[in-house]
């Protein structure tokens, strides 16, 4: 089944050169896609995003925040939170286009243009709260896309899997009381933003529909394999999603400078196969990936190209960055706590 890619040259206009979340991340990805050795673009359907409208952004954000962010462009460049999240004069428009990129991805998978779409957007989104920017994120791209799919594309239940090394606190906040979206996050425990404990399971009607799997430092491929097989897959089976969305951060790779998990490129390939199997079993294969973090350029480009090649059906891809340098800690306790909190 065809795989599509959402990209836009506009995504590099949001940029602070010395900040970890800078435009070089996307320039490196574009260069990797252009690499003649892989010729990836020959196999991928190219999709162009449109900017999200304010009404679409308001599916996941409070309108006063959207207005305040637009007004903040007058003081740009500068910081809009202490994480630090920066803006430049173009950032509001680029953020609308990033949300629009996630929307374009779900439109394409639900409309049958492609079975899987990967949206390489910036700025990232999963820390953005309904009423505030946070952690390099302005609008919560994946949350907006999930709500868009439900409101305009006839989708009922949405599974969001977030494997960025940081907890997707913004996405969790948007759907905390919503039983129509199962939000599952793997992340390094006790890391920014310090949320995502196993005990955070949702509230009200959404009780049980937030599933956090915090992992100890240096957890890697084996931990993710177990999280997938023992927690994510059975939770997905019980939920039976109509659409699978993936918050794809590549900062859980062992080379990433901002955190200490130890996924390898081979681990990302296995994770991709596992998520693809979940989408095929429950959602007719419909799956949209939205880029989040990832701050080591070789790990980011290696991760994204490994995901794309795996989605295209390639197996046994060589891991050009090699195995994790440290032994993995025992994660049975972490896996069992997540299972117990959700009756799995
Ligand atoms: Zn991250």
């Amino acid at each position: 089944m065809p795989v599509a890619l959402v990209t836009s040259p506009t995504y590099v206009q949001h940029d602070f050169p010395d900040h970890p979340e800078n435009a070089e991340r996307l320039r490196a990805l574009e260069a990797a896609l252009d690499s003649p050795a892989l010729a990836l673009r020959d196999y991928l359907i190219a999709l162009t995003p449109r900017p999200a409208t304010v009404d679409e952004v308001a599916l996941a954000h409070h309108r006063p925040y959207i207005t305040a962010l637009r007004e903040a462009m007058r003081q740009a460049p500068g910081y809009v939170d202490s994480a630090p999240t920066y803006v430049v004069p173009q950032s509001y428009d680029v953020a609308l286009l990033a949300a629009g990129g996630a929307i374009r991805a779900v439109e394409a998978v639900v409309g049958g243009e492609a079975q899987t779409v990967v949206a390489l957007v910036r700025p990232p989104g999963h820390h953005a709260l309904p009423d505030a920017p946070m952690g390099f994120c302005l609008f919560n791209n994946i949350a907006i896309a999930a709500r868009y799919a439900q409101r305009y594309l006839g989708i009922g239940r949405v599974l969001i899997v977030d494997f960025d090394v940081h907890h997707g606190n913004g996405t969790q906040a948007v759907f905390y009381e919503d039983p129509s979206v199962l939000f599952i996050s793997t992340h390094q425990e006790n890391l920014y933003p310090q949320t995502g404990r196993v005990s955070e399971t949702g509230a009200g009607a959404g009780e049980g529909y937030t599933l956090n799997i915090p992992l100890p430092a240096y957890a890697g491929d084996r931990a993710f394999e177990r999280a997938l097989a023992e927690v994510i897959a059975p939770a997905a089976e019980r939920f039976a999603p109509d659409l699978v969305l993936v918050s794809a951060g590549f900062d859980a790779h062992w080379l990433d400078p901002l955190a200490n998990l130890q996924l390898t490129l081979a681990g990302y390939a296995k994770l991709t196969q596992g998520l693809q199997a979940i989408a095929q079993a429950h959602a007719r294969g419909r799956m949209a990936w939205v880029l989040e973090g990832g701050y080591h350029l070789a790990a980011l480009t290696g991760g994204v190209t490994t995901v794309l090649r795996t989605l295209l059906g390639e197996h046994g891809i060589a891991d050009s960055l090699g195995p994790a340098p440290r032994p993995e800690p025992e994660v049975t306790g972490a896996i069992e706590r997540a299972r117990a909190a959700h009756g799995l």
Side-chain angles (χ1 to χ4, degrees), residues 126-127 164-167 249-252 258 292-295:
H126 73 151
H127 296 304
D164 188 281
V165 79
H166 303 98
H167 178 234
F250 293 87
D251 41 11
L258 297 195
E292 302 286 358
Y295 305 100

Side-chain angles (χ1 to χ4, degrees), residues 110-124:
V110 177
E113 292 171 75
Q115 187 167 56
T116 311
V117 180
V118 176
L120 298 179
V121 303
R122 288 182 61 254

